[in-house]
Amino acid sequence: MQIHVVQRGESLWSISRRYGVALNQIAAANQLPDPNRLVPGLALVIPTPSPGPKPTIDVNAFTFQFSPAGAQEVRRHGRHLTYMSPFAYRIRSDGTLETIDDTALIQAAVATRVVPMMAITNFTSRELGTDRAHAVLSSTAVQDRLLNNIVAMMRNKGYRGLNIDFENVLPADRQAYNAFLQRAVNRLHAENYFVSTSLAPKTSGAQRGLLYEAHDYPAHGRIADFVVLMTYEWGYRLGPPRAISPVNLIRGVLDYAVSVIPRNKILMGFQIYARDWRIPHRPGMQAETISNQEAVRRAVQHGAVIQYDWTAQSPYFRYWDARGQGHEVWFEDARSAQAKFNLVKSYQLRGVSYWVLGYPFPQNWLLLEDNFTVRKR
């Protein structure tokens, strides 16, 4: 596989001639919105064979799309996945669970030899969940009830493992969280289930903040079977426009993570969506979350020139809509995806974890297949 960045004046025909690859193959590989309209800076995947052995990795994907379309998305990408995790069962303060309609997703996973992994969490987009986590972590009786409910749900639904994603946990609950993880692993291993955790993107053990302090990297690395590093959301929907998962900042997280967690236990988070911010940005303004395909469509529609931030390894562009409103879009393309895959290789990680299915990004799946063999368990 090769990557070509469109230059001013180039056409799909001239690019096809340059690489000796049929025009329709290039258009299909990149699912171009209009093959006759290319914008400068657009990165194209050129489907050519890549020789040499490929490392084998685990690949997880979270999804919160519970409709039939969500199940179809799992079937479509099942060959690229080791695990699939519907997000999520939310814990209650009494140790019970808020349920989700995940049956079709699990069936789609099993049909494509993907391991269904149950996810539990304490938060929503509207509630931090700090109190819920504290209620569970401060009572072993509540924990026992929660673990009983988890095991019953896993047996009933056919899950084979668990992902624990407790966020915004009080710093004072750090040791209680570690103790709960150990109790969860002891219980679930006895039932032949695996346990993973999701971790905020820390660059040191001393990092302050509600999102970080209770996430004890060395403890999670010792206790859990593997961890998911949430290496995304620097470009937050309520913050100013910037790269969502800049490679330079991911590298800082990985440098710390591999110093305290075995490399073969680390899945690097990879976001596969884009964001469109109105500019100039003001507090309270919220970015629109879109697919990378939609980002390219908007660039073509508005004749934008796509720029590339080489430090963040992320593409972006600006445009003005019909009302004269300025926009800044940060997204992922073939170059940024390859940069992230290079990190997985150079740090010799277990693999990647996608957040989240449902946002089309065909270049990613082609490059994943080109770079790695996906482990099936």
Side-chain angles (χ1 to χ4, degrees):
M1 204 74 67
Q2 298 183 66
I3 298 172
H4 177 83
V5 179
V6 175
Q7 305 299 308
R8 193 175 299 276
E10 285 188 315
S11 66
L12 201 58
W13 180 83
S14 66
I15 295 168
S16 170
R17 290 284 299 267
R18 175 174 175 175
Y19 290 97
V21 176
L23 183 151
N24 61 342
Q25 284 185 277
I26 300 174
N30 296 277
Q31 295 184 24
L32 295 172
D34 184 349
N36 296 315
R37 295 177 66 191
L38 303 180
V39 294
L42 177 65
L44 300 175
V45 168
I46 310 298
T48 55
S50 297
K54 299 184 289 188
T56 299
I57 64 168
D58 282 6
V59 178
N60 174 58
F62 290 101
T63 179
F64 48 65
Q65 191 177 15
F66 297 100
S67 64
Q72 183 58 37
E73 189 83 352
V74 173
R75 291 179 186 273
R76 182 180 300 115
H77 297 301
R79 72 180 188 276
H80 300 123
L81 303 176
T82 310
Y83 312 103
M84 182 280 306
S85 190
F87 195 83
Y89 286 81
R90 191 177 184 217
I91 62 169
R92 294 191 180 101
S93 299
D94 63 357
T96 57
L97 294 164
E98 296 178 6
T99 59
I100 54 178
D101 184 12
D102 51 3
T103 301
L105 290 171
I106 294 170
Q107 291 173 345
V110 172
T112 50
R113 294 181 55 224
V114 176
V115 175
M117 179 168 63
M118 181 178 176
I120 63 169
T121 191
N122 62 314
F123 72 98
T124 69
S125 60
R126 299 175 302 278
E127 184 183 335
L128 292 178
T130 302
D131 292 342
R132 292 195 183 208
H134 178 71
V136 170
L137 297 177
S138 59
S139 168
T140 55
V142 173
Q143 291 174 33
D144 286 340
R145 188 177 305 119
L146 176 61
L147 292 172
N148 287 338
N149 285 324
I150 289 169
V151 169
M153 190 66 70
M154 293 175 77
R155 287 174 180 164
N156 181 50
K157 292 295 186 75
Y159 281 110
R160 289 169 52 189
L162 178 71
N163 175 262
I164 301 172
D165 182 5
F166 286 4
E167 300 185 25
N168 310 306
V169 177
L170 292 171
D173 285 338
R174 175 184 172 112
Q175 294 306 319
Y177 188 17
N178 292 345
F180 168 69
L181 291 178
Q182 188 63 68
R183 297 184 79 227
V185 166
N186 292 345
R187 175 68 191 279
L188 269 70
H189 278 187
E191 304 279 350
N192 293 317
Y193 298 125
F194 64 84
V195 178
S196 67
T197 66
S198 292
L199 289 169
K202 297 176 67 167
T203 55
S204 81
Q207 191 162 337
R208 299 300 178 196
L210 183 63
L211 191 63
Y212 308 102
E213 290 181 60
H215 283 193
D216 185 337
Y217 271 41
H220 285 243
R222 181 180 68 254
I223 297 168
D225 295 298
F226 61 90
V227 304
V228 173
L229 300 183
M230 296 183 285
T231 40
Y232 35 73
E233 284 295 296
W234 279 277
Y236 181 49
R237 61 187 172 85
L238 296 176
R242 63 183 298 196
I244 301 169
S245 53
V247 162
N248 58 314
L249 298 184
I250 293 175
R251 190 177 289 112
V253 175
L254 293 178
D255 285 342
Y256 171 58
V258 299
S259 73
V260 293
I261 301 174
R263 294 170 190 260
N264 64 359
K265 283 190 173 187
I266 298 173
L267 296 185
M268 185 189 82
F270 186 161
Q271 120 281 340
I272 47 176
Y273 52 85
R275 288 217 164 108
D276 183 327
W277 283 267
R278 287 171 291 157
I279 54 173
H281 177 77
R282 291 184 295 274
M285 293 174 64
Q286 181 169 318
E288 180 185 6
T289 301
I290 59 176
S291 72
N292 293 295
Q293 286 297 95
E294 174 60 18
V296 171
R297 191 197 68 79
R298 292 183 186 188
V300 171
Q301 176 188 359
H302 296 283
V305 175
I306 295 172
Q307 309 291 328
Y308 196 74
D309 184 320
W310 288 98
T311 300
Q313 293 281 313
S314 184
Y316 67 98
F317 61 90
R318 288 185 171 184
Y319 72 92
W320 283 260
D321 62 27
R323 294 173 297 178
Q325 172 66 57
H327 293 253
E328 185 168 321
V329 179
W330 287 82
F331 66 111
E332 300 290 332
D333 68 4
R335 291 168 292 182
S336 64
Q338 185 60 56
K340 291 177 176 62
F341 292 149
N342 289 344
L343 286 179
V344 174
K345 293 177 183 177
S346 63
Y347 282 87
Q348 300 178 322
L349 304 179
R350 183 188 185 102
V352 297
S353 178
Y354 288 109
W355 182 269
V356 58
L357 290 183
Y359 294 95
F361 186 15
Q363 294 178 328
N364 164 76
W365 305 107
L366 288 172
L367 287 168
L368 176 70
E369 207 168 80
D370 193 58
N371 280 272
F372 305 107
T373 297
V374 175
R375 184 178 288 109
K376 290 291 187 177
R377 296 189 180 277

